[in-house]
């Protein structure tokens, strides 16, 4: 699988929005106290690899690894020419408004947008791949 460097392909898009003022103020209790809110600093993303059109591995800094799950299958995400992470703030959170914006390799003029549904912290890129494979096998066995 290919691994693209963020210096070449990842850009951060920060939008001014009324949501940016109150999105992460820490005053609201979590819906499920046992679950941790997972966020990624978009400016610190170093590497990514879109395994499929639904799952993407992201490395933040040198030691933080994540598995992004898209809300829907994102046509040609796996073959993207370039990827940008877009949110109303510089942080992308599992329960936020984050999106992946990318250029389809087949149609370099067209930008596509895909909503991020979930972000999971993982130990490594290999662990992220194993999770994706396990989910694929479970779905195939349904």
């Amino acid at each position: 699988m290919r691994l693209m460097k963020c210096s070449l392909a990842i850009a951060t898009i920060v939008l001014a929005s009324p949501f940016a003022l109150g999105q992460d103020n820490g005053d609201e209790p979590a819906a499920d106290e046992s679950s941790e809110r997972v966020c990624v600093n978009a400016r610190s993303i170093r590497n990514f690899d879109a395994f499929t059109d639904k799952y993407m591995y992201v490395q933040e800094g040198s030691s933080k690894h994540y598995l992004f799950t898209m809300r829907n299958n994102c046509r040609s995400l796996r073959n993207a020419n370039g990827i940008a992470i877009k949110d109303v703030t510089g942080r992308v959170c599992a329960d936020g408004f984050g999106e992946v914006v990318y250029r389809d390799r087949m149609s370099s003029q067209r930008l596509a947008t895909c909503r991020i549904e979930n972000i999971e912290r993982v130990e490594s890129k290999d662990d992220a791949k194993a999770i994706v494979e396990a989910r694929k096998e479970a779905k195939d066995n349904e």
Side-chain angles (χ1 to χ4, degrees):
M1 301 234 159
R2 73 194 186 294
L3 185 67
M4 302 171 106
K5 299 289 183 193
C6 83
S7 60
L8 299 175
I10 295 181
T12 302
I13 302 171
V14 180
L15 301 176
S17 165
F19 297 112
L21 299 175
Q23 182 181 358
D24 189 26
N25 60 14
D27 294 337
E28 297 179 32
D32 179 9
E33 294 294 332
S34 64
S35 66
E36 175 186 1
R37 184 173 189 210
V38 178
C39 297
V40 176
N41 182 350
R43 290 177 184 91
S44 297
I45 292 174
R46 298 288 174 247
N47 297 306
F48 71 90
D49 190 357
F51 297 142
T52 68
D53 289 343
K54 185 155 179 90
Y55 296 102
M56 184 172 81
Y57 162 78
V58 172
Q59 180 181 358
E60 178 187 13
S62 62
S63 61
K64 295 179 183 176
H65 307 273
Y66 302 92
L67 178 62
F68 282 31
T69 303
M70 303 303 129
R71 177 157 293 163
N72 300 307
N73 280 331
C74 305
R75 186 170 176 242
S76 298
L77 175 62
R78 189 169 68 157
N79 299 316
N81 250 351
I83 290 181
I85 305 296
K86 179 174 97 170
D87 201 304
V88 295
T89 68
R91 288 175 31 151
V92 180
C93 298
D95 59 352
F97 300 98
E99 295 180 322
V100 172
V101 180
Y102 61 97
R103 283 198 192 278
D104 181 343
R105 188 173 287 172
M106 300 299 200
S107 169
S108 61
Q109 300 302 316
R110 188 180 77 106
L111 283 178
T113 302
C114 202
R115 185 86 183 261
I116 300 167
E117 181 175 318
N118 193 30
I119 301 172
E120 301 168 74
R121 193 167 281 146
V122 295
E123 292 295 317
S124 67
K125 182 178 178 181
D126 289 336
D127 286 346
K129 280 183 188 177
I131 291 168
V132 171
E133 285 299 316
R135 289 179 182 165
K136 182 178 184 269
E137 286 178 26
K139 186 175 181 180
D140 290 345
N141 291 330
E142 287 181 348

